[in-house]
Amino acid sequence: MTVRDAEVRRLDLGYFVRPAVEVGGPEPRVEPAYGYLVRRPEGLLLFDTGIGAVDPDTEAHYRPRRRPLATALDAAGVGPDDITLVVNCHLHFDHCGGNPALAGRPIVVQRTELTVARTPGHTIPELVDFPGARYEELDGEAEIWPGVRIVPTPGHTAGHQSLVLRQLDGTVILAGQARDFATGYGSDELALRASRDGVAAPLPPVPAWLPRLVDLDPARILFAHDGAVWEPASG
């Protein structure tokens, strides 16, 4: 297959405050919400769409500050009508909030994720089944465009998925919230390396999906809530 390079641009879609009780420490943590615009010959792909409107209790709990999707896209020189395809890593409100503004565009999700998202209490129903919602449901790994692959990375949710781009300078993975931070992924990768090197137990457990991502030999991995980029030690 011929590798065709893509332009990948991070979009600032706002931030929210994760309470201390969820952080596991004494202080809350402010986390960004990032989307990624991928320009390919097939069109413009948008990976995650920002923080959606929520009920008053959720608003008070997370205190989000939203940057409208249209504003973020305008800064990138495009508009909502230019988007060809949407991919959500999962359907929590801070990842699919801009989907209603893209009604009619196909949204690629895991079938498992959509099923769970439609159960009470998982997310905001109005952000899932809005007028014009058009889902393309996957059952596992799939190539959605040449050189553009979806890989399931369950954990944060049962249907979480990541996007893999084959680039001229190496594979780029948009990992969403497969891990909250690049350092968390790095720790997992080292634990897997130690296991493959035959280091004796005990070793930290790693996600079941990790060997698949590692074997794709990523040159860069980007995340939804961390501005840091993971790169292999070799560079």
Side-chain angles (χ1 to χ4, degrees), residues 166-181:
R166 293 185 63 203
Q167 297 280 75
L168 295 174
D169 62 346
T171 297
V172 174
I173 297 177
L174 306 181
Q177 205 172 345
R179 279 291 176 259
D180 285 343
F181 303 108

Side-chain angles (χ1 to χ4, degrees), residues 85-130:
L85 183 67
V86 177
V87 177
N88 291 123
C89 65
H90 67 291
L91 294 173
H92 281 165
F93 79 96
D94 53 325
H95 295 263
C96 70
N99 285 13
L102 299 166
R105 251 55 58 87
I107 302 168
V108 177
V109 298
Q110 293 293 316
R111 190 181 310 276
T112 298
E113 181 67 19
L114 187 56
T115 298
V116 173
R118 286 171 168 159
T119 61
H122 181 78
T123 188
I124 308 300
E126 293 80 6
L127 299 178
V128 176
D129 290 313
F130 53 88

Side-chain angles (χ1 to χ4, degrees), residues 124-159:
I124 308 300
E126 293 80 6
L127 299 178
V128 176
D129 290 313
F130 53 88
R134 177 185 163 198
Y135 288 102
E136 293 190 0
E137 300 174 49
L138 302 179
D139 291 306
E141 187 168 329
E143 187 173 58
I144 57 173
W145 285 345
V148 180
R149 181 168 292 275
I150 297 290
V151 175
T153 47
H156 179 68
T157 66

Side-chain angles (χ1 to χ4, degrees), residues 1 8 22 25 40 91-92 96 133 135 174 183 223:
M1 178 188 299
V8 181
E22 295 184 10
R40 294 270 304 184
L91 294 173
H92 281 165
C96 70
Y135 288 102
L174 306 181
T183 52
F223 301 87

Side-chain angles (χ1 to χ4, degrees), residues 18-235:
R18 191 175 295 282
V21 66
E22 295 184 10
V23 171
E27 303 292 342
R29 182 173 67 220
V30 182
E31 296 186 9
Y34 292 131
Y36 292 91
L37 186 65
V38 180
R39 187 183 296 273
R40 294 270 304 184
E42 296 83 2
L44 282 175
L45 183 155
L46 182 58
F47 185 81
D48 283 353
T49 62
I51 306 171
V54 293
D55 58 273
D57 287 345
T58 304
E59 188 81 14
H61 187 74
Y62 288 111
R63 295 177 281 161
R65 294 296 181 268
R66 301 168 179 85
R67 189 180 190 215
L69 177 60
T71 300
L73 291 174
D74 183 67
V78 301
D81 290 344
D82 298 316
I83 302 301
T84 307
L85 183 67
V86 177
V87 177
N88 291 123
C89 65
H90 67 291
L91 294 173
H92 281 165
F93 79 96
D94 53 325
H95 295 263
C96 70
N99 285 13
L102 299 166
R105 251 55 58 87
I107 302 168
V108 177
V109 298
Q110 293 293 316
R111 190 181 310 276
T112 298
E113 181 67 19
L114 187 56
T115 298
V116 173
R118 286 171 168 159
T119 61
H122 181 78
T123 188
I124 308 300
E126 293 80 6
L127 299 178
V128 176
D129 290 313
F130 53 88
R134 177 185 163 198
Y135 288 102
E136 293 190 0
E137 300 174 49
L138 302 179
D139 291 306
E141 187 168 329
E143 187 173 58
I144 57 173
W145 285 345
V148 180
R149 181 168 292 275
I150 297 290
V151 175
T153 47
H156 179 68
T157 66
H160 191 283
Q161 61 185 8
S162 297
L163 187 74
V164 179
L165 306 168
R166 293 185 63 203
Q167 297 280 75
L168 295 174
D169 62 346
T171 297
V172 174
I173 297 177
L174 306 181
Q177 205 172 345
R179 279 291 176 259
D180 285 343
F181 303 108
T183 52
Y185 178 87
S187 295
D188 288 341
E189 191 270 344
L190 280 173
L192 179 61
R193 190 193 312 178
S195 176
R196 288 178 168 181
D197 286 346
V199 175
L203 288 171
V206 300
W209 48 259
L210 183 67
R212 175 58 176 148
L213 291 197
V214 169
D215 290 344
L216 288 167
D217 193 24
R220 294 181 298 285
I221 302 181
L222 300 94
F223 301 87
H225 297 312
D226 188 2
V229 177
W230 181 88
E231 295 179 328
S234 64

Side-chain angles (χ1 to χ4, degrees), residues 11-28:
L11 302 180
D12 172 10
L13 296 172
Y15 62 88
F16 61 95
V17 182
R18 191 175 295 282
V21 66
E22 295 184 10
V23 171
E27 303 292 342

